Amino acid sequence: MPNVRNGLASEDRPDLASMDLAELEAALEGRGHPRFRARQIFTWIYAKGVTDFEKMTDLSRQLRADLAGYFRVGTPVLVHKDTSSDGTVKFLLSLEDGRHIESVFIPDVRRHTFCISTQVGCAMKCGFCLTGKMGLVRNLTSGEIAGQVRVLAGELGLRDSKFNIVLMGMGEPLHNYDNTMKALRMLNDEHGLAVSPKRITLSTVGVVPGLERLAAEPLMPNLAISLHATTEDQRDALVPVNRKYGLEDILDAARKFPIKRRSRITFEYVLLRGVNDTPEDARRLVRLLGDIRCKVNLIPLNEAAGIAFQRPPDDRVNAFAEILAGARLTVSVRKSRGRDIRAACGQLIVEGATPSPAQKAAALM
Ligand code: SAH
């Protein structure tokens, strides 16, 4: 059994929090430990929120010492919390390289929701979204994606509760496909938080190859597609990636998507005053979605400095919704939560920060 003093330098220790159970088993075996220990460690990290090996009391002293010398449990560090008047809480988290991300807790009477990020920044540059202004800084690791849920559940005392997860924070999940799906598998693992895929919603701008891969996944989250426009030209202007994966291609992929019984695809549609909120837009939307089992979630724009669009007045939003409802589409208008703390959709942005040594050290714990 190697001595801790012979362990690896902290930055060279593999991150157990970025491993799924099978990888964790292999890592333990690689150091001569029995595979079944992996399940215990997984339970400590996810179900009990314990990341300090010393506190994993059902492991032998020797094993704990070996783990501490050769592995780490990378966990986002809470830097700051903002609570909205409506109860929404925005968490600013620091990562091991000093980058920052935001995650949001949205309380509700029936079920609480965690809104988590999949990238630092985003490459999609949708014209009305602040995160797009940052550009893509980097992908999050699977451990950083799942780690947001660990940290929020721990901070809020919800580790033993059922909650929803929406991948609607910073980033485009299908642009970080492998890490995102691996994080969902880790969160779903019965030895950890055991979050059912029925409680998870992946929201995408419509990266068609990603949608095609997702269609074949064994672990299938609910799907939300950010449509926002009803003609190719209009969508080109609002969502630049439409030039690569156009409206028609996305709708084709949606038609082919295996939708579970009693389930539907959600189409998100940000309403921009005088841009895509006319009755003609609503009628075109009805025609486009007519043959897809779906519901529409209208999101009146959350305005922000630096965004050159406006939120339509409520009567305009209602008129749009009524045209959809009149054509028997299921439609909802998204409540804007946490706008006073800039935690609402499209308002997540953090400037690239250079890490201080103290931050680095804290993030490595
Ligand atoms: N990249 C994913 C997740 C983004 S956030 C996607 O595009 O779906 C989730 C939703 O918030 C998306 O539908 C996004 O278009 C929307 N959104 C972005 N900026 C917004 C804003 N300023 N106001 C309202 N909704 C916005």
Side-chain angles (χ1 to χ4, degrees):
M1 177 71 61
N3 190 293
V4 195
R5 273 169 289 157
N6 301 329
L8 298 171
S10 55
E11 61 276 16
D12 295 332
R13 294 176 200 156
D15 180 16
L16 292 188
S18 287
M19 295 182 191
D20 58 26
L21 190 61
E23 289 170 337
L24 190 54
E25 285 172 346
L28 288 180
E29 246 179 358
R31 290 210 52 77
H33 305 298
R35 294 168 73 83
F36 73 88
R37 294 287 178 206
R39 269 172 270 157
Q40 281 169 282
I41 298 170
F42 211 84
T43 301
W44 279 112
I45 296 176
Y46 287 88
K48 300 186 191 162
V50 171
T51 54
D52 177 355
F53 294 118
E54 256 325 291
K55 297 192 178 131
M56 301 185 179
T57 46
D58 59 357
L59 307 180
S60 73
R61 208 172 276 280
Q62 245 188 342
L63 174 55
R64 282 184 265 162
D66 189 59
L67 291 172
Y70 288 89
F71 297 103
R72 70 186 208 279
V73 182
T75 300
V77 174
L78 175 61
V79 178
H80 186 70
K81 246 186 337 190
D82 267 321
T83 305
S84 160
S85 53
D86 67 20
T88 301
V89 188
K90 182 167 81 169
F91 292 80
L92 176 68
L93 304 175
S94 162
L95 308 173
E96 288 180 338
D97 64 353
R99 297 286 177 187
H100 290 89
I101 48 168
E102 291 179 323
S103 321
V104 180
F105 169 64
I106 309 156
D108 215 334
V109 268
R110 273 195 321 177
R111 190 74 77 211
H112 301 317
T113 300
F114 297 160
C115 176
I116 66 173
S117 297
T118 54
Q119 297 179 313
V120 183
C122 185
M124 299 300 135
K125 299 198 180 302
C126 300
F128 44 82
C129 178
L130 274 187
T131 306
K133 303 266 171 221
M134 291 173 68
L136 177 64
V137 179
R138 69 170 175 85
N139 281 334
L140 295 184
T141 64
S142 56
E144 289 167 336
I145 298 171
Q148 296 166 66
V149 178
R150 286 197 282 120
V151 171
L152 267 61
E155 282 290 323
L156 297 157
L158 292 175
R159 222 174 264 122
D160 297 321
S161 318
K162 288 201 165 131
F163 44 76
N164 297 329
I165 296 175
V166 296
L167 302 179
M168 296 188 187
M170 303 168 80
E172 166 49 47
L174 297 186
H175 193 213
N176 183 16
Y177 190 96
D178 293 327
N179 294 347
T180 297
M181 292 313 295
K182 185 173 170 190
L184 298 191
R185 288 192 294 274
M186 283 153 44
L187 290 167
N188 174 241
D189 197 293
E190 56 174 338
H191 304 290
L193 289 168
V195 184
S196 155
K198 285 188 214 142
R199 302 205 174 284
I200 302 176
T201 300
L202 184 153
S203 177
T204 176
V205 72
V207 180
V208 172
L211 283 173
E212 289 167 356
R213 277 182 79 185
L214 189 64
E217 283 287 342
L219 190 146
M220 178 79 71
N222 299 306
L223 178 63
I225 299 179
S226 294
L227 209 62
H228 309 324
T230 52
T231 68
E232 299 286 359
D233 283 350
Q234 193 187 36
R235 198 165 189 271
D236 282 350
L238 297 175
V239 180
V241 74
N242 193 65
R243 287 178 212 131
K244 197 158 172 197
Y245 308 117
L247 195 54
E248 274 308 324
D249 304 330
I250 293 171
L251 293 173
D252 263 349
R255 279 187 204 100
K256 291 187 197 125
F257 204 78
I259 310 168
K260 275 175 275 155
R261 243 160 39 91
R262 274 187 288 190
S263 168
R264 308 177 214 199
I265 296 179
T266 300
F267 287 98
E268 294 158 289
Y269 191 99
V270 171
L271 284 166
L272 309 169
R273 179 177 190 160
V275 176
N276 65 357
D277 65 342
T278 66
E280 295 77 65
D281 287 299
R283 285 192 283 270
R284 266 198 304 268
L285 190 57
V286 168
R287 282 198 296 276
L288 286 178
L289 301 183
D291 59 345
I292 304 179
R293 192 140 52 91
C294 69
K295 50 191 172 187
V296 177
N297 191 208
L298 299 173
I299 320 176
L301 177 76
N302 295 309
E303 295 181 355
I307 298 293
F309 295 100
Q310 290 162 327
R311 180 189 187 91
D314 287 351
D315 56 349
R316 189 97 176 167
V317 173
N318 291 339
F320 196 98
E322 269 163 27
I323 293 175
L324 304 189
R328 300 188 160 274
L329 271 177
T330 305
V331 56
S332 55
V333 178
R334 188 174 298 179
K335 268 189 280 176
S336 178
R337 303 285 304 266
R339 259 199 292 170
D340 54 343
I341 54 164
R342 298 168 71 80
C345 303
Q347 296 191 311
L348 302 184
I349 184 167
V350 284
E351 261 62 55
T354 347
S356 70
Q359 269 177 336
K360 266 192 164 168
L364 269 173
M365 291 198 312

Coordinates of all heavy atoms in Angstrom, one line a residue, residues 142-220:
S142 N -17.7 16.6 -17.2 CA -18.8 16.0 -16.7 C -18.9 16.2 -15.2 O -20.0 16.4 -14.6 CB -18.8 14.5 -16.9 OG -17.6 13.9 -16.4
G143 N -17.8 16.2 -14.5 CA -17.7 16.5 -13.1 C -18.2 17.9 -12.7 O -18.9 18.1 -11.7
E144 N -17.9 18.8 -13.5 CA -18.3 20.2 -13.3 C -19.8 20.4 -13.5 O -20.5 21.2 -12.9 CB -17.5 21.2 -14.1 CG -16.1 21.3 -13.7 CD -15.2 22.0 -14.7 OE1 -15.5 22.1 -15.9 OE2 -14.1 22.6 -14.3
I145 N -20.4 19.6 -14.5 CA -21.8 19.7 -14.8 C -22.6 19.1 -13.6 O -23.4 19.7 -13.0 CB -22.1 19.1 -16.1 CG1 -21.4 19.8 -17.3 CG2 -23.6 19.0 -16.4 CD1 -21.5 19.1 -18.6
A146 N -22.2 17.8 -13.3 CA -22.9 17.1 -12.2 C -22.6 17.8 -10.9 O -23.4 17.8 -10.0 CB -22.5 15.7 -12.2
G147 N -21.4 18.4 -10.8 CA -21.0 19.0 -9.5 C -21.9 20.2 -9.1 O -22.1 20.5 -8.0
Q148 N -22.4 20.9 -10.1 CA -23.4 22.0 -9.8 C -24.6 21.5 -9.0 O -25.0 22.1 -8.1 CB -23.9 22.7 -11.1 CG -22.8 23.4 -11.9 CD -23.2 23.7 -13.3 OE1 -24.1 24.5 -13.4 NE2 -22.7 23.1 -14.3
V149 N -25.0 20.3 -9.5 CA -26.2 19.7 -8.8 C -25.8 19.3 -7.3 O -26.5 19.5 -6.4 CB -26.8 18.5 -9.6 CG1 -27.9 17.9 -8.8 CG2 -27.2 19.0 -11.0
R150 N -24.6 18.7 -7.2 CA -24.1 18.3 -5.9 C -24.1 19.5 -5.0 O -24.5 19.5 -3.8 CB -22.7 17.7 -6.0 CG -22.7 16.3 -6.5 CD -21.4 15.6 -6.2 NE -20.3 16.1 -7.1 CZ -19.2 16.6 -6.6 NH1 -19.0 16.9 -5.3 NH2 -18.2 17.0 -7.4
V151 N -23.5 20.6 -5.5 CA -23.3 21.8 -4.6 C -24.7 22.5 -4.3 O -24.9 22.8 -3.1 CB -22.4 22.8 -5.3 CG1 -22.3 24.1 -4.5 CG2 -21.0 22.3 -5.5
L152 N -25.5 22.6 -5.3 CA -26.8 23.3 -5.0 C -27.7 22.4 -4.1 O -28.2 22.9 -3.1 CB -27.6 23.5 -6.3 CG -27.4 24.9 -6.9 CD1 -25.9 25.2 -7.3 CD2 -28.3 25.2 -8.1
A153 N -27.7 21.1 -4.3 CA -28.5 20.2 -3.5 C -28.0 20.3 -2.0 O -28.8 20.3 -1.1 CB -28.5 18.8 -4.0
G154 N -26.7 20.3 -1.9 CA -26.1 20.4 -0.5 C -26.4 21.8 0.1 O -26.9 21.8 1.3
E155 N -26.2 22.9 -0.6 CA -26.4 24.2 0.0 C -27.8 24.4 0.4 O -28.1 25.1 1.4 CB -26.1 25.3 -1.1 CG -24.6 25.5 -1.3 CD -24.0 26.2 -0.1 OE1 -24.7 27.1 0.5 OE2 -22.9 25.9 0.3
L156 N -28.8 23.8 -0.4 CA -30.2 24.0 -0.1 C -30.8 22.9 0.7 O -32.0 23.0 1.0 CB -30.9 24.1 -1.5 CG -30.5 25.2 -2.4 CD1 -30.8 24.9 -3.9 CD2 -31.2 26.5 -2.0
G157 N -30.0 21.9 1.1 CA -30.5 20.9 1.9 C -31.5 20.0 1.2 O -32.5 19.5 1.8
L158 N -31.3 19.8 -0.1 CA -32.3 19.1 -0.9 C -31.8 17.7 -1.4 O -32.4 17.2 -2.3 CB -32.8 19.9 -2.1 CG -33.6 21.2 -1.8 CD1 -33.8 22.0 -3.0 CD2 -34.9 20.8 -1.1
R159 N -30.7 17.3 -0.8 CA -30.1 16.0 -1.3 C -31.1 14.8 -1.3 O -31.0 14.0 -2.2 CB -28.8 15.7 -0.5 CG -27.7 15.3 -1.4 CD -26.4 15.1 -0.6 NE -25.6 16.2 -0.7 CZ -25.2 16.9 0.4 NH1 -25.6 16.6 1.6 NH2 -24.4 18.0 0.2
D160 N -32.0 14.8 -0.3 CA -32.9 13.7 -0.2 C -34.2 14.0 -0.9 O -35.2 13.2 -0.7 CB -33.1 13.3 1.2 CG -31.8 12.9 1.8 OD1 -31.0 12.2 1.1 OD2 -31.5 13.2 3.0
S161 N -34.4 15.1 -1.6 CA -35.7 15.5 -2.2 C -35.6 15.2 -3.7 O -34.6 15.0 -4.2 CB -35.9 17.0 -2.0 OG -35.6 17.4 -0.8
K162 N -36.8 15.1 -4.2 CA -36.9 15.0 -5.7 C -36.9 16.4 -6.3 O -37.5 17.3 -5.8 CB -38.1 14.3 -6.1 CG -38.1 12.8 -5.7 CD -39.1 12.0 -6.6 CE -38.7 10.6 -6.5 NZ -39.9 9.8 -6.1
F163 N -36.1 16.6 -7.3 CA -36.1 17.9 -8.0 C -35.9 17.7 -9.5 O -35.5 16.7 -9.9 CB -34.9 18.8 -7.4 CG -33.6 18.0 -7.2 CD1 -32.8 17.8 -8.4 CD2 -33.2 17.6 -6.0 CE1 -31.6 17.1 -8.2 CE2 -32.0 16.9 -5.9 CZ -31.2 16.6 -7.0
N164 N -36.2 18.8 -10.2 CA -36.0 18.8 -11.7 C -34.7 19.4 -12.0 O -34.2 20.3 -11.2 CB -37.1 19.6 -12.3 CG -38.5 19.0 -12.1 OD1 -38.6 17.7 -12.0 ND2 -39.5 19.8 -12.1
I165 N -34.1 19.0 -13.1 CA -32.9 19.6 -13.6 C -33.2 20.1 -15.0 O -33.7 19.4 -15.8 CB -31.7 18.6 -13.6 CG1 -31.4 18.2 -12.2 CG2 -30.5 19.2 -14.3 CD1 -30.3 17.1 -12.1
V166 N -32.9 21.4 -15.3 CA -33.0 21.9 -16.7 C -31.6 22.3 -17.1 O -30.9 23.0 -16.4 CB -34.0 23.0 -16.8 CG1 -35.4 22.5 -16.5 CG2 -33.7 24.2 -16.0
L167 N -31.2 21.8 -18.3 CA -29.9 22.3 -18.8 C -30.2 23.5 -19.6 O -30.2 23.5 -20.8 CB -29.3 21.2 -19.7 CG -29.1 19.8 -19.0 CD1 -28.5 18.8 -19.9 CD2 -28.2 20.0 -17.8
M168 N -30.4 24.6 -18.9 CA -30.8 25.9 -19.5 C -30.0 27.0 -19.0 O -30.3 28.2 -19.1 CB -32.3 26.2 -19.3 CG -33.2 25.2 -19.9 SD -34.9 25.7 -19.8 CE -35.8 24.3 -20.4
G169 N -28.8 26.7 -18.3 CA -27.9 27.7 -17.8 C -27.0 28.2 -19.0 O -27.4 28.3 -20.1
M170 N -25.8 28.4 -18.6 CA -24.9 28.9 -19.7 C -24.5 27.7 -20.6 O -24.2 26.6 -20.1 CB -23.6 29.5 -19.0 CG -23.9 30.6 -18.0 SD -22.5 31.0 -17.0 CE -21.6 32.0 -18.1
G171 N -24.4 28.0 -21.9 CA -23.9 27.0 -22.8 C -24.9 26.2 -23.6 O -26.1 26.3 -23.3
E172 N -24.4 25.5 -24.6 CA -25.3 24.7 -25.5 C -24.9 23.3 -25.2 O -23.8 22.8 -25.6 CB -25.0 25.1 -26.9 CG -25.5 24.2 -28.0 CD -27.0 23.8 -27.8 OE1 -27.8 24.7 -27.6 OE2 -27.3 22.6 -27.9
P173 N -25.8 22.5 -24.5 CA -25.5 21.2 -24.1 C -25.1 20.3 -25.3 O -24.2 19.4 -25.1 CB -26.8 20.7 -23.5 CG -27.8 21.8 -23.5 CD -27.2 23.0 -24.1
L174 N -25.7 20.4 -26.4 CA -25.3 19.5 -27.5 C -24.0 19.9 -28.2 O -23.5 19.1 -29.0 CB -26.5 19.4 -28.6 CG -27.8 18.8 -28.0 CD1 -28.8 18.6 -29.2 CD2 -27.6 17.5 -27.3
H175 N -23.5 21.0 -27.8 CA -22.2 21.4 -28.3 C -21.1 20.9 -27.3 O -19.9 21.1 -27.5 CB -22.1 23.0 -28.4 CG -20.9 23.5 -29.1 ND1 -20.4 24.7 -28.8 CD2 -20.2 23.0 -30.2 CE1 -19.3 24.9 -29.6 NE2 -19.3 23.9 -30.5
N176 N -21.5 20.3 -26.2 CA -20.6 19.6 -25.3 C -21.2 18.3 -25.0 O -21.5 17.9 -23.8 CB -20.5 20.5 -24.0 CG -19.5 19.9 -23.0 OD1 -18.7 19.0 -23.3 ND2 -19.5 20.4 -21.8
Y177 N -21.5 17.5 -26.0 CA -22.4 16.4 -26.0 C -21.9 15.3 -25.0 O -22.6 14.9 -24.1 CB -22.5 15.7 -27.4 CG -23.6 14.7 -27.4 CD1 -24.8 15.0 -27.9 CD2 -23.3 13.4 -27.0 CE1 -25.8 14.0 -27.9 CE2 -24.3 12.4 -27.0 CZ -25.5 12.7 -27.5 OH -26.5 11.8 -27.5
D178 N -20.6 14.8 -25.1 CA -20.2 13.7 -24.3 C -20.2 14.0 -22.8 O -20.6 13.2 -22.0 CB -18.8 13.3 -24.8 CG -18.8 12.7 -26.2 OD1 -19.9 12.1 -26.6 OD2 -17.9 12.9 -27.0
N179 N -19.7 15.2 -22.5 CA -19.6 15.5 -21.1 C -21.0 15.7 -20.5 O -21.3 15.3 -19.3 CB -18.8 16.8 -20.8 CG -17.3 16.5 -21.2 OD1 -16.9 15.4 -21.4 ND2 -16.5 17.6 -21.3
T180 N -21.9 16.3 -21.3 CA -23.2 16.5 -20.8 C -23.9 15.1 -20.5 O -24.5 14.9 -19.5 CB -24.1 17.3 -21.8 OG1 -23.5 18.6 -21.9 CG2 -25.5 17.5 -21.4
M181 N -23.9 14.2 -21.5 CA -24.6 13.0 -21.3 C -24.0 12.1 -20.2 O -24.7 11.4 -19.5 CB -24.6 12.2 -22.7 CG -25.5 12.8 -23.7 SD -27.1 13.4 -23.2 CE -27.9 11.8 -22.8
K182 N -22.6 12.2 -20.1 CA -22.0 11.5 -19.0 C -22.4 12.0 -17.7 O -22.7 11.3 -16.7 CB -20.5 11.6 -19.2 CG -19.7 10.8 -18.1 CD -18.2 10.8 -18.5 CE -17.4 10.2 -17.3 NZ -16.0 10.4 -17.5
A183 N -22.5 13.4 -17.6 CA -23.0 14.0 -16.3 C -24.4 13.5 -16.0 O -24.7 13.2 -14.8 CB -23.0 15.5 -16.4
L184 N -25.3 13.3 -17.0 CA -26.6 12.9 -16.7 C -26.6 11.4 -16.2 O -27.4 11.1 -15.4 CB -27.5 13.0 -18.0 CG -27.7 14.4 -18.5 CD1 -28.8 14.5 -19.6 CD2 -28.1 15.4 -17.4
R185 N -25.7 10.6 -16.8 CA -25.6 9.2 -16.4 C -25.1 9.2 -14.9 O -25.6 8.4 -14.1 CB -24.7 8.4 -17.3 CG -25.3 8.1 -18.6 CD -24.5 7.1 -19.4 NE -23.1 7.5 -19.7 CZ -22.8 8.2 -20.8 NH1 -23.7 8.6 -21.7 NH2 -21.6 8.6 -21.0
M186 N -24.2 10.0 -14.6 CA -23.7 10.1 -13.2 C -24.8 10.5 -12.2 O -24.9 10.0 -11.1 CB -22.5 11.0 -13.1 CG -21.2 10.4 -13.7 SD -19.9 11.5 -14.3 CE -19.9 12.8 -13.1
L187 N -25.6 11.5 -12.6 CA -26.6 12.0 -11.8 C -27.8 11.0 -11.6 O -28.5 10.9 -10.6 CB -27.2 13.3 -12.3 CG -26.3 14.5 -12.2 CD1 -26.8 15.7 -13.1 CD2 -26.1 14.9 -10.8
N188 N -27.9 10.1 -12.6 CA -28.9 9.1 -12.7 C -28.6 7.9 -11.8 O -29.4 7.1 -11.4 CB -29.2 8.7 -14.1 CG -30.2 7.6 -14.2 OD1 -29.9 6.5 -14.8 ND2 -31.4 7.8 -13.7
D189 N -27.3 7.7 -11.6 CA -26.8 6.4 -10.9 C -27.5 6.2 -9.6 O -27.6 7.1 -8.8 CB -25.3 6.5 -10.7 CG -24.7 5.1 -10.5 OD1 -25.0 4.5 -9.4 OD2 -24.0 4.6 -11.3
E190 N -28.0 4.9 -9.5 CA -28.8 4.6 -8.3 C -28.0 4.7 -7.0 O -28.5 4.8 -5.9 CB -29.4 3.2 -8.4 CG -28.3 2.2 -8.6 CD -28.8 0.7 -8.6 OE1 -29.8 0.5 -8.0 OE2 -28.1 -0.1 -9.2
H191 N -26.6 4.6 -7.1 CA -25.8 4.7 -5.9 C -25.6 6.2 -5.5 O -25.0 6.5 -4.4 CB -24.4 4.1 -6.1 CG -24.6 2.6 -6.5 ND1 -25.1 1.7 -5.6 CD2 -24.4 2.0 -7.7 CE1 -25.1 0.5 -6.2 NE2 -24.8 0.7 -7.5
G192 N -26.0 7.1 -6.3 CA -25.8 8.5 -6.0 C -27.1 9.2 -5.8 O -27.9 8.8 -5.0
L193 N -27.4 10.3 -6.6 CA -28.6 11.1 -6.5 C -29.8 10.4 -7.1 O -30.9 10.8 -6.9 CB -28.4 12.5 -7.0 CG -27.4 13.4 -6.1 CD1 -27.1 14.6 -6.8 CD2 -28.1 13.7 -4.8
A194 N -29.6 9.5 -8.0 CA -30.6 8.7 -8.7 C -31.7 9.6 -9.3 O -32.9 9.4 -9.1 CB -31.3 7.7 -7.7
V195 N -31.3 10.7 -10.0 CA -32.2 11.6 -10.7 C -32.8 10.9 -11.9 O -32.0 10.5 -12.8 CB -31.6 12.9 -11.1 CG1 -32.6 13.9 -11.6 CG2 -30.9 13.5 -9.9
S196 N -34.1 10.7 -12.0 CA -34.7 10.1 -13.2 C -34.6 11.0 -14.4 O -34.8 12.2 -14.3 CB -36.2 9.8 -12.8 OG -36.9 9.7 -14.0
P197 N -34.3 10.4 -15.6 CA -34.3 11.3 -16.8 C -35.6 12.0 -17.0 O -35.6 13.0 -17.7 CB -34.0 10.3 -17.9 CG -34.1 8.9 -17.3 CD -34.1 9.0 -15.8
K198 N -36.7 11.5 -16.5 CA -38.0 12.2 -16.6 C -38.0 13.5 -16.0 O -38.8 14.4 -16.3 CB -39.1 11.3 -16.0 CG -39.5 10.1 -16.8 CD -40.7 9.5 -16.1 CE -40.6 8.0 -16.3 NZ -41.1 7.2 -15.2
R199 N -37.1 13.7 -15.0 CA -37.0 15.0 -14.3 C -36.0 15.9 -14.9 O -35.6 17.0 -14.4 CB -36.6 14.8 -12.8 CG -37.6 13.9 -12.1 CD -37.6 14.2 -10.6 NE -38.6 13.4 -10.0 CZ -39.9 13.7 -10.1 NH1 -40.3 14.8 -10.7 NH2 -40.8 13.0 -9.5
I200 N -35.4 15.5 -16.0 CA -34.3 16.3 -16.6 C -34.7 16.8 -18.0 O -35.3 16.0 -18.8 CB -33.0 15.4 -16.8 CG1 -32.6 14.9 -15.4 CG2 -31.9 16.3 -17.4 CD1 -31.4 13.9 -15.5
T201 N -34.5 18.1 -18.2 CA -34.8 18.6 -19.6 C -33.6 19.2 -20.2 O -32.9 20.1 -19.6 CB -35.9 19.7 -19.5 OG1 -37.1 19.1 -18.9 CG2 -36.3 20.3 -20.9
L202 N -33.3 18.8 -21.4 CA -32.1 19.3 -22.1 C -32.7 20.3 -23.1 O -33.5 20.0 -23.9 CB -31.4 18.1 -22.8 CG -30.1 18.5 -23.6 CD1 -29.2 17.2 -23.6 CD2 -30.4 18.9 -25.0
S203 N -32.2 21.5 -23.0 CA -32.6 22.6 -24.0 C -31.5 22.9 -25.0 O -30.4 23.1 -24.6 CB -33.0 23.8 -23.2 OG -33.4 24.9 -24.0
T204 N -31.9 22.8 -26.2 CA -30.9 23.0 -27.3 C -31.3 24.0 -28.3 O -32.5 24.1 -28.6 CB -30.5 21.7 -28.0 OG1 -29.6 22.0 -29.0 CG2 -31.7 21.0 -28.5
V205 N -30.4 24.7 -28.9 CA -30.6 25.6 -30.0 C -30.9 24.8 -31.3 O -31.4 25.3 -32.3 CB -29.4 26.5 -30.2 CG1 -28.2 25.8 -30.8 CG2 -29.8 27.8 -30.9
G206 N -30.7 23.5 -31.3 CA -31.0 22.6 -32.4 C -29.7 22.2 -33.2 O -29.7 22.4 -34.4
V207 N -28.7 21.7 -32.5 CA -27.6 21.2 -33.2 C -27.9 19.8 -33.8 O -28.0 18.8 -33.1 CB -26.4 21.1 -32.2 CG1 -25.1 20.5 -32.9 CG2 -26.1 22.4 -31.5
V208 N -28.2 19.7 -35.1 CA -28.8 18.6 -35.7 C -28.1 17.3 -35.4 O -28.7 16.3 -35.0 CB -29.2 18.8 -37.2 CG1 -29.7 17.5 -37.8 CG2 -30.2 19.9 -37.3
P209 N -26.7 17.2 -35.7 CA -26.1 15.9 -35.4 C -26.2 15.5 -33.9 O -26.3 14.3 -33.6 CB -24.6 16.2 -35.7 CG -24.6 17.5 -36.5 CD -25.8 18.2 -36.2
G210 N -26.2 16.5 -33.0 CA -26.4 16.2 -31.6 C -27.8 15.6 -31.4 O -28.0 14.7 -30.6
L211 N -28.8 16.2 -32.0 CA -30.2 15.7 -31.9 C -30.3 14.2 -32.4 O -31.0 13.4 -31.8 CB -31.2 16.5 -32.7 CG -31.5 17.9 -32.1 CD1 -32.4 18.7 -33.1 CD2 -32.3 17.7 -30.8
E212 N -29.6 14.0 -33.5 CA -29.6 12.6 -34.0 C -28.9 11.6 -33.0 O -29.4 10.5 -32.9 CB -28.9 12.6 -35.4 CG -29.8 13.3 -36.4 CD -29.1 13.6 -37.7 OE1 -27.9 13.3 -37.9 OE2 -29.8 14.1 -38.6
R213 N -27.8 12.0 -32.4 CA -27.2 11.1 -31.4 C -28.1 10.9 -30.2 O -28.2 9.8 -29.7 CB -25.9 11.8 -30.9 CG -24.7 11.5 -31.8 CD -23.4 12.1 -31.2 NE -22.9 11.3 -30.2 CZ -21.8 11.7 -29.4 NH1 -21.2 12.9 -29.6 NH2 -21.3 10.9 -28.5
L214 N -28.7 12.0 -29.8 CA -29.6 12.0 -28.6 C -30.7 11.0 -28.8 O -31.1 10.3 -27.9 CB -30.1 13.4 -28.3 CG -30.9 13.6 -27.0 CD1 -29.9 13.4 -25.8 CD2 -31.5 15.0 -26.9
A215 N -31.2 11.0 -30.1 CA -32.4 10.1 -30.4 C -32.1 8.6 -30.1 O -33.0 7.9 -29.9 CB -32.7 10.3 -31.9
A216 N -30.8 8.3 -30.1 CA -30.4 6.9 -29.8 C -29.9 6.6 -28.4 O -29.4 5.5 -28.1 CB -29.3 6.5 -30.9
E217 N -30.0 7.6 -27.5 CA -29.5 7.4 -26.2 C -30.3 6.5 -25.3 O -31.6 6.6 -25.4 CB -29.4 8.8 -25.5 CG -28.3 9.7 -25.9 CD -26.9 9.2 -25.3 OE1 -26.9 8.4 -24.4 OE2 -25.9 9.7 -25.9
P218 N -29.7 5.6 -24.6 CA -30.5 4.8 -23.6 C -31.1 5.7 -22.5 O -32.2 5.5 -22.1 CB -29.5 3.8 -23.0 CG -28.2 4.1 -23.7 CD -28.3 5.3 -24.6
L219 N -30.3 6.7 -22.1 CA -30.8 7.5 -21.0 C -31.3 8.8 -21.7 O -30.6 9.7 -22.1 CB -29.7 7.9 -20.0 CG -30.2 8.6 -18.7 CD1 -29.3 8.1 -17.6 CD2 -30.0 10.1 -18.9
M220 N -32.6 9.0 -21.8 CA -33.2 10.0 -22.6 C -33.9 11.1 -21.8 O -34.9 10.9 -21.2 CB -34.3 9.4 -23.5 CG -35.0 10.3 -24.4 SD -34.0 10.8 -25.8 CE -34.0 9.3 -26.8

